[in-house]
Amino acid sequence: MGRHEQREQVFMLLFRVEFHTPEEMPRQERLFFEDNETVTREKDAAYIEAKEKAVRKKISEIDQIIDKNTEGWDTTRMGKVELTILRLAVYEMLFDEDVPKGVAIDEAVEIAKKFGQDNSGGFVNAILAKISKLGD
């Protein structure tokens, strides 16, 4: 499984955060992997689970960054798909040294086009472009 496929799986697992309490997430993780025919290798599962947990640990900080870099929007008003994509991308851009900012943005836009609404790719791209300038 390539990084793009792994990232999509992280997105799908992370999406469950919007519908479950932190206490329910260990069970949701277990169910995700039990029901998932795409993730067949233990190495892939370990990567997906580790990245999802890393993002979850930083959600409140990531949400603050997103809120500070949007006008007329905040994380409470965003669609759950777009918010999950933004959380993953912001994590990769600011906290994951293995992922270049440009790759994180490109991948997020592709996931938004696949799983979001018609305008999701542009919405995600605009916010991430602004966030990418932090620290430059």
Side-chain angles (χ1 to χ4, degrees), residues 1-108:
M1 176 178 284
R3 287 285 184 212
H4 178 77
E5 291 84 9
Q6 286 176 333
R7 191 174 279 107
E8 282 188 2
Q9 295 297 315
V10 173
F11 158 75
M12 287 187 268
L13 179 56
L14 191 60
F15 187 71
R16 293 179 182 219
V17 167
E18 290 301 306
F19 304 97
H20 301 282
T21 66
E23 297 77 28
E24 294 172 320
M25 283 309 293
R27 181 170 186 270
Q28 288 302 312
E29 290 166 355
R30 221 173 27 259
L31 290 171
F32 177 81
F33 289 110
E34 285 174 8
D35 296 340
N36 193 327
E37 295 176 8
T38 304
V39 182
T40 57
R41 293 183 7 199
E42 189 63 37
K43 181 180 175 183
D44 292 327
Y47 175 86
I48 292 162
E49 185 174 7
K51 183 162 262 189
E52 180 268 338
K53 285 182 178 179
V55 175
R56 261 196 309 130
K57 285 182 184 176
K58 297 248 182 218
I59 280 182
S60 62
E61 187 176 348
I62 291 168
D63 285 359
Q64 288 176 9
I65 293 166
I66 294 169
D67 285 343
K68 287 179 185 174
N69 288 281
T70 55
E71 293 178 27
W73 288 94
D74 64 40
T75 53
T76 61
R77 291 189 55 225
M78 290 179 191
K80 293 179 185 335
V81 168
E82 292 78 12
L83 177 58
T84 303
I85 293 166
L86 287 168
R87 285 173 171 165
L88 176 56
V90 170
Y91 174 82
E92 289 185 334
M93 291 167 60
L94 302 179
F95 303 107
D96 189 336
E97 295 176 6
D98 294 334
V99 181
K101 284 183 181 180
V103 171
I105 294 169
D106 290 346
E107 288 287 321

